[in-house]
Structure formats: C-alpha cells, structure tokens
Amino acid sequence: MSTLPSPAAAPAAPHPDQAAPDKLTPLLERWRKVPGGLLPLLHEVQAAFGYVPSSTVPRIARALGLSRAEVHGVISFYHDFRSQPPAQHRLRVCQAESCQAMGSRELTAGLEQRLGCTLDQPRADGTWALESVYCLGLCAASPALMLDGQLHARVGLAQAEALIQQTEELRA
Amino acid sequence: MSTTLYVPNDSVAQALGADQLAAALQFHALRRGAPIRLVRNSSRGLFWQEPLLEVATPAGRVGYARVSADQVPALFEAGLLHGGAHPSCIGLVDQLDWLRRQERLTFARAGLTDPLSLDDYAEHGGWAGLRRAFELGPAGCVDEIAQSGLRGRGGAAFPAGIKWRTVADQSAAPKYVVCNADEGDSGTYSDRMAMEGDPYQLIEGMAIAAYAVGASRGYIYLRSEYPQAIAIMGQALERARQAGWLGERVAGSDLAFDIELRVGAGAYICGEESALLESLEGKRGLVRARPPLPAVRGLFGQPTLVHNVVSLATVPVIFARGAAFYADYGAGRSRGTLPIQLAGNLRTPGLVEKAFGVSLRELIEDFGGGTASGRPVKAVQIGGPLGAYLSAAQLDLPLEYETLAQHQAMVGHGGIVVFDDRADMAELARYAMHFTAIESCGKCTPCRIGAVRGRELIERMQREPGQPERAAELEALCEVMEHASLCALGGMTPYPVRSAIRLFPADFGLPRPDPAKETSDVE
C-alpha cells in the first residue's frame, strides 16, 4: 500500500540577507547563553531557512562568542547541515547492511535511473536529490527510505516509483 | 460501551501505513455508529506483522497482521470489534509462541501501553524502581547496579557498576547523566523502540542514575534519523516535567533533576561517547583521547555518567525487582537479558529479548523464520556495521560476550543481520571501509586515511582477482587501523573486513586457505 507523502514544506526563499534580521535574531537570543547551544541553534537556522546561509555564520559566531572558523567547522562536520539550498524533494535511501541484504543496492540503482541523477549528487535542475542515509532504524522492514521527511518501509522499486510519481503529481 | 483498538505508533508501523489505518478505522467506525477507543500503542516488536492491529476482547487482545487502510471495511464486516475471523487474524497476541518464548524485562511493556500515557506507565509497574531507589539511598543504588551485573548495552559492554561508582566518587559538581541515543548501527533498533514505545522508562532510569551518582542534569543525545523518537521523547519529557517526575523535587524527593533533549546531526561517530560529549558541547564530534575518562571529566569538564538507551531503560526493572532477580538471567559473565534485533534477509524479523546464551541458530531459524528469500543463509553480521561476519557453519554459537569474543566476534548492540547466499562478501567488506571513510571524524590518520586506502584496495581486489599479495596488504592495513586508531570506528572496521576474507576468500578472488594452516591458526 503506497502512502501519499505530504509535500515538503519548501520555504519560498527570500534573500537570506533580507530575511536574516527577522528570522535569525530570536534564534540567537534563545541559544546564545545555553551551554553547547551551537548544534540546536544550527538545527533551528536550517529549519527556518532550509539551509545554513553563509551570511548567518558571522552573526552566529558573535552571538555565541565563537570564531567563524569554529562555526564553519561544525557546519561542515555534520552531514545534516547544508550550506546550499536543498532540492525541492529529498529521497533518502538507507544504504546500511540490513537494507543491502534486502535489495537496497538494486533499489538505489533503479532510483538513479528513474530520477536521472547519481546518488548523493542532486539533480542540476534542483528538483530532486537522491541521498544516502545510514540507518533509519527500520531494519526489520528493509529496504527503507525517507521521502521529504516521511518514512517508508518494505519498499520495492515499483512502490518507490509510485511515491515519486505521486509527489510529482502533487507538485503539478 | 466502546471497544478498544490498538494501532502502533512505532516508526516501522508508520512507515507501513499505520497513520492511514488509524484514520480509516476512525472513519468507518463513525460511519457504522460503532463506538471505538483507538489507542496508538507501542510496537510488540513483531515487525513482520506491522501494522499490527489489535482489538480488546474478553478473551484478550486479538491481532490482525499487516493491515492496510483499504482492508478496514472488510474487517468491520468480519466482526472486527468482536475479534472476528479474517485472513489477517493471528489470534490472541499474548499467546503467540514468538512472544511467549521470550524473557522480556526491558521490553516488558512493549505493545501493551500508550507510550505517552503516564497513567498507563504507572499501572504497568512504572516508577516502582525509582521509589525503591529512594529507599536504598545513593550508595545503596550503586551497590544494587553492581550486583545486577548489568553491562552497557551499547556495544562496549562495560560493567555499569564501575561507571556508577566512579562518577559517584567524584566530588566535583555539577555532575551529568548523558543518554547516548545515537544508535546508528545498521540492524539495530532497540533504542528507537525503547524511546518510541516506553519513553518514561528511560526517564525513570536516568532519574535513578542521577540520584545514585549525584547528578542534577541529564541530556539525551538523539540521532536525527529518528523523527518519531524525537517527537515522542520530547512530549514525554514535557509531560513528566509537568507531572513532577522531573524538576526541582523529583517525585517530591530531595532529588533535583531535569533532562534536555538534543538532536544529533547525522554523524555516526557521535555514537562514540567522547565524540558525543564534544557534540553536546556544540563542537565537531572529534574523539577525545583518554584519560581522563568521562566519568571523571566528561561533559563541560564535569563528571559524567554516559550510558546507552537500553542500559538506562533496564535500570528501573533492576530496582523494581532487585539485582538478584536480574542477575539470575543469563550465563557466565553475561548477566541479565539482551534485546536482540533480528534484521536483514529474514522471514519473521523482530525484537527478541532473551537471557544471554541463546544460540544464533535458534534466533535466526526459530524466531527469524529463516531467510525471506528461502535461500540458504550465507553470512550473519552481529553487533552492527563494525561487527564481524559469521558463516552458516557457526550458527550453533551462543550469543554471549566471552564465547563470541573467542571467535573474533562480538555481541555489540545486539543487532543480527542475515544475508542469503547471493551476498557478495567483498562488496560488503568494501562497504565497511567506505562507511568508515564517510563517517570518520578525521582526527586520527589510521582511520581517516586507512579507510580510504582500504576501500581502494578492496576495489582493486574486485577488479583484479587472484592476487594474494593484496590480501597481505589489506591485512597489514587492518593491523594498523585496529591498533593505532583512537576509537572504535577505525579500530573495529577491520572486524567485518577480516572476517569476510577469512570465511569467504572466494568472494575476494582468493583460494581457500590450506586446512592445515587453518588448524594451526586456530591454535
């Protein structure tokens, strides 16, 4: 049974510099005195902007009493943090061993063909990104994937293609 | 009089359409004028049966397996609300052999309760452990955990009692309790299941630990790949706080303790405790050199007790029922129960909680139902992506720390991933190096560079079979990675690689080893 995914809440991206004073200030106020607050702050910045604009780095650093290099190092270290706007749709396919045992390699290859892009390299038109994820914890129902934040398990290629089709039809 | 229906709120159930099923049940019940009470319960851990719809009847809860939303009208016609006959019906869930043959202690409530209901938790034995902890006093608690024989369930299997005593003995304040919920290992899901299905048990375990060691603050570091666990854990913390189980006077006692939930950001290395602490401090997740141990100087430079989810979730039952009760389970130095997570190519995968000592064959064949493909088992990986592979000939080994260690394998987090005879072990070994290369924190050369070279070497072996000198090169590289890496990521990557080559040389284009040489190696 295919599940209709809810469309991604893609933020209509105003220019980050324009939006930054309004969206960023309350986040900085909330986290600047919390011990170890940089990671939760970056999560909230990404939730607000869709990614972590490089223009926010100096202000984050100043608010938290860190150097820009330290903030940049954290952003680049963690796979979740993006420095560029994301694709409209993100399809994350689990690549870990349990999903491999149940055909995730073949599923991934099929999806690369269907979407016309290579794993972990977003499509040039910015519509789709096919990404590796290492374990969604759905190992007893492999293969598993996450489409725009929605989990799907026991996924064969036909079902995955149906999900993509539904997502694209919703967009049209 | 309404009938109670249960639809799991677990990630697997959700990923298989449980939310749509719940909506359909509400809709069709309303249309039929049939009053129902729908509970989003925790999962029983019978994952091949999900979504598992259960109906409360006078005889007990009747289960319907793999139910989809479009089957709901037919189910109502079949007398769903009375446990009526239907092809998906599996009978009384409590009577299933798969469940009855287990020894669930940590997961005793799995499937029974609404995870977010404080009343449900209390009615099913919740908070009894905390109350007894207060009676024992902090020193008594440390003794109790030591006597239980509990070892960390996150992989390293370090005795919990030693950790607790070390933190308790530190005079520095404040102290912290940190829950490592960054379970990123392939084939493991017990942490996810514990947090999604029984969040108050984890909170209670952390409160007991905090009381014992003198900590005032707790952190749960939860991986970002578990959105449902994040949502449920966040709500549970809020409700526990409002109900007084967290805060200035926990349960009216002198204990001041609160817990903050922090979400990780996709770095596997942050499952390593010192990298996790760095991440909680808002830094890159680099591995710290030891000493000092986190118990002496951990989070923000303070004494910190770090435990995995299942270790902390097991604490309440130990206190509620006593250390001796828990220690009585198991074999040898492996005391208590282990939640074993069956995954991969299996017909009936799910969570099996058993005392240590159960054989791999029983787990894979009896509980796991053999391969989903029907083909023979070729290899089994135990303990996550850094766990060694075992061959089909080794399935009579017991799941036990010492015995597996003698066979260069490990229990790890209790995950078991099964592969059938189509598995390409060279490709899996290459993947292990590839995974480590991606996830390395970059701090130490053997891991950062070694994993890349290892991947290249194996790729060369795949392209040009029949070159034994490559195997020797790979072995030398594994030696360096094992002994010179700063943490388990680089240090344990050789385990899946070496075991794959040793047990399945043909997949690497290598001849089978000389039987005489093999014998001498074993000696």
Side-chain angles (χ1 to χ4, degrees):
Chain A
M1 176 80 186
S2 295
T3 305
L4 198 69
S6 50
H15 193 274
D17 286 331
Q18 285 180 325
D22 302 319
K23 285 202 228 176
L24 189 58
T25 301
L27 303 183
L28 297 177
E29 282 304 307
R30 184 177 317 156
W31 290 103
R32 65 188 187 88
K33 287 183 177 171
V34 177
L38 180 55
L39 256 81
L41 171 57
L42 290 174
H43 272 303
E44 291 193 2
V45 169
Q46 183 150 290
F49 294 95
Y51 65 112
V52 184
S54 55
S55 58
T56 63
V57 169
R59 291 187 59 196
I60 291 170
R62 199 175 312 122
L64 269 59
L66 300 166
S67 70
R68 276 178 290 161
E70 284 171 305
V71 176
H72 175 77
V74 169
I75 294 167
S76 60
F77 181 86
Y78 293 94
H79 300 308
D80 281 5
F81 295 136
R82 300 180 289 268
S83 293
Q84 299 297 326
Q88 285 173 42
H89 303 291
R90 298 176 63 214
L91 180 51
R92 310 179 74 195
V93 187
C94 185
Q95 302 294 310
E97 282 89 344
S98 179
C99 285
Q100 284 187 53
M102 291 297 278
S104 68
R105 266 191 240 120
E106 294 76 15
L107 173 62
T108 302
L111 291 173
E112 283 180 314
Q113 192 171 349
R114 167 65 174 81
L115 292 172
C117 61
T118 304
L119 185 67
D120 294 323
Q121 294 172 39
R123 230 156 77 163
D125 65 3
T127 53
W128 283 92
L130 183 63
E131 297 172 4
S132 299
V133 64
Y134 299 100
C135 210
L136 298 165
L138 307 180
C139 317
S142 296
L145 57 82
M146 185 188 271
L147 173 52
D148 294 336
Q150 197 79 36
L151 293 168
H152 300 275
R154 285 186 211 135
V155 182
L157 181 57
Q159 186 195 335
E161 290 181 334
L163 289 170
I164 292 169
Q165 176 101 12
Q166 286 159 24
T167 305
E168 289 180 334
E169 281 167 359
L170 274 178
R171 202 180 67 219
Chain B
M1 184 61 190
S2 64
T3 303
T4 304
L5 302 180
Y6 299 86
V7 177
N9 203 20
D10 177 91
S11 286
V12 168
Q14 266 194 354
L16 294 166
D19 288 348
Q20 291 72 25
L21 171 61
L25 288 165
Q26 299 276 27
F27 174 78
H28 286 282
L30 192 62
R31 279 191 72 204
R32 282 171 166 73
I36 64 165
R37 182 175 80 100
L38 194 139
V39 176
R40 298 303 302 269
N41 62 321
S42 51
S43 173
R44 299 271 192 173
L46 308 168
F47 287 116
W48 81 99
Q49 308 273 36
E50 295 290 1
L52 178 61
L53 167 61
E54 294 180 42
V55 183
T57 74
R61 283 161 59 162
V62 173
Y64 296 84
R66 290 196 174 218
V67 181
S68 57
D70 57 17
Q71 290 175 286
V72 169
L75 277 164
F76 272 105
E77 291 300 323
L80 170 70
L81 299 189
H82 313 288
H86 184 271
S88 62
C89 187
I90 60 172
L92 294 172
V93 179
D94 283 341
Q95 298 305 304
L96 296 174
D97 264 2
W98 209 92
L99 285 175
R100 292 180 67 179
R101 290 168 51 217
Q102 296 190 33
E103 291 151 313
R104 290 188 171 186
L105 298 180
T106 306
F107 287 91
R109 275 178 290 268
L112 302 185
T113 57
D114 172 351
L116 285 170
S117 167
L118 282 161
D119 290 339
D120 246 356
Y121 184 65
E123 283 160 21
H124 287 82
W127 313 114
L130 182 59
R131 275 189 279 269
R132 181 158 175 272
F134 289 145
E135 291 167 13
L136 290 172
C141 289
V142 175
D143 286 343
E144 189 79 350
I145 212 70
Q147 287 167 38
S148 72
L150 177 69
R151 292 166 74 160
R153 297 291 190 250
F158 196 84
I162 296 179
K163 272 196 191 186
W164 286 40
R165 193 175 304 283
T166 306
V167 179
D169 286 348
Q170 307 304 307
S171 54
K175 297 179 186 178
Y176 296 99
V177 172
V178 170
C179 172
N180 181 349
D182 200 73
E183 165 197 60
D185 288 348
S186 169
T188 67
Y189 45 82
S190 58
D191 285 4
R192 177 185 69 64
M193 202 176 145
M195 290 183 287
E196 291 178 5
D198 210 352
Y200 298 122
Q201 175 167 265
L202 177 58
I203 292 169
E204 184 180 357
M206 289 181 73
I208 294 171
Y211 176 68
V213 305
S216 56
R217 187 156 196 84
Y219 286 87
I220 297 171
Y221 185 93
L222 216 172
R223 64 194 300 262
S224 59
E225 291 87 346
Y226 287 175
Q228 180 71 337
I230 293 165
I232 291 179
M233 208 68 234
Q235 280 180 266
L237 287 168
E238 189 53 42
R239 293 190 190 190
R241 202 170 287 123
Q242 285 172 15
W245 295 107
L246 292 170
E248 288 302 312
R249 297 183 70 86
V250 171
S253 73
D254 289 339
L255 173 67
F257 182 64
D258 208 333
I259 298 171
E260 185 174 344
L261 179 64
R262 291 286 181 91
V263 177
Y268 175 82
I269 191 60
C270 289
E272 197 277 339
E273 67 177 8
S274 67
L276 185 155
L277 296 178
E278 291 283 297
S279 188
L280 277 175
E281 294 179 9
K283 301 169 181 169
R284 290 179 292 157
L286 297 185
V287 171
R288 295 177 182 174
R290 269 182 270 255
L293 294 172
V296 176
R297 205 179 308 157
L299 186 62
F300 306 117
Q302 298 300 113
T304 304
L305 181 69
V306 186
H307 269 309
N308 164 265
V309 172
V310 166
S311 310
L312 288 164
T314 302
V315 168
V317 67
I318 290 170
F319 281 82
R321 305 185 71 166
F325 167 83
Y326 187 77
D328 196 44
Y329 286 82
R333 292 174 55 197
S334 306
R335 312 308 302 178
T337 57
L338 177 68
I340 299 145
Q341 304 124 91
L342 302 178
N345 202 319
L346 285 171
R347 208 165 48 81
T348 57
L351 183 116
V352 180
E353 188 173 350
K354 287 283 272 182
F356 284 94
V358 59
S359 78
L360 295 172
R361 188 174 305 281
E362 180 179 352
L363 290 166
I364 289 163
E365 292 179 1
D366 295 347
F367 284 101
T371 60
S373 62
R375 304 174 69 110
V377 171
K378 173 173 181 174
V380 176
Q381 186 174 38
I382 306 175
L386 305 179
Y389 289 99
L390 294 174
S391 69
Q394 294 174 289
L395 294 189
D396 292 304
L397 291 173
L399 194 63
E400 208 181 75
Y401 292 116
E402 279 76 30
T403 306
L404 286 186
Q406 287 162 22
H407 289 81
Q408 297 101 54
M410 66 172 191
V411 173
H413 205 99
I416 296 180
V417 177
V418 176
F419 298 85
D420 69 15
D421 59 351
R422 293 171 294 177
D424 177 348
M425 302 311 294
E427 179 55 32
L428 285 162
R430 186 202 73 85
Y431 170 81
M433 288 290 189
H434 173 71
F435 176 73
T436 299
I438 287 170
E439 296 294 347
S440 177
C441 79
K443 182 159 185 174
C444 65
T445 307
C447 182
R448 185 179 74 246
I449 304 294
V452 176
R453 295 292 170 255
R455 181 181 62 201
E456 291 168 355
L457 252 175
I458 296 171
E459 284 169 352
R460 210 170 297 154
M461 293 170 85
Q462 288 174 304
R463 286 197 307 267
E464 309 153 18
Q467 303 197 24
E469 61 272 19
R470 296 277 186 241
E473 270 182 74
L474 188 53
E475 174 54 39
L477 179 65
C478 284
E479 188 81 5
V480 172
M481 289 179 73
E482 180 179 10
H483 294 293
S485 294
L486 200 54
C487 83
L489 178 57
M492 289 181 64
T493 299
Y495 279 57
V497 174
R498 276 169 162 156
S499 57
I501 296 183
R502 187 179 74 245
L503 296 168
F504 309 98
D507 287 20
F508 293 79
L510 301 168
R512 297 209 69 85
D514 187 338
K517 183 169 187 287
E518 193 169 2
T519 303
S520 68
D521 282 349
V522 171
E523 289 160 349

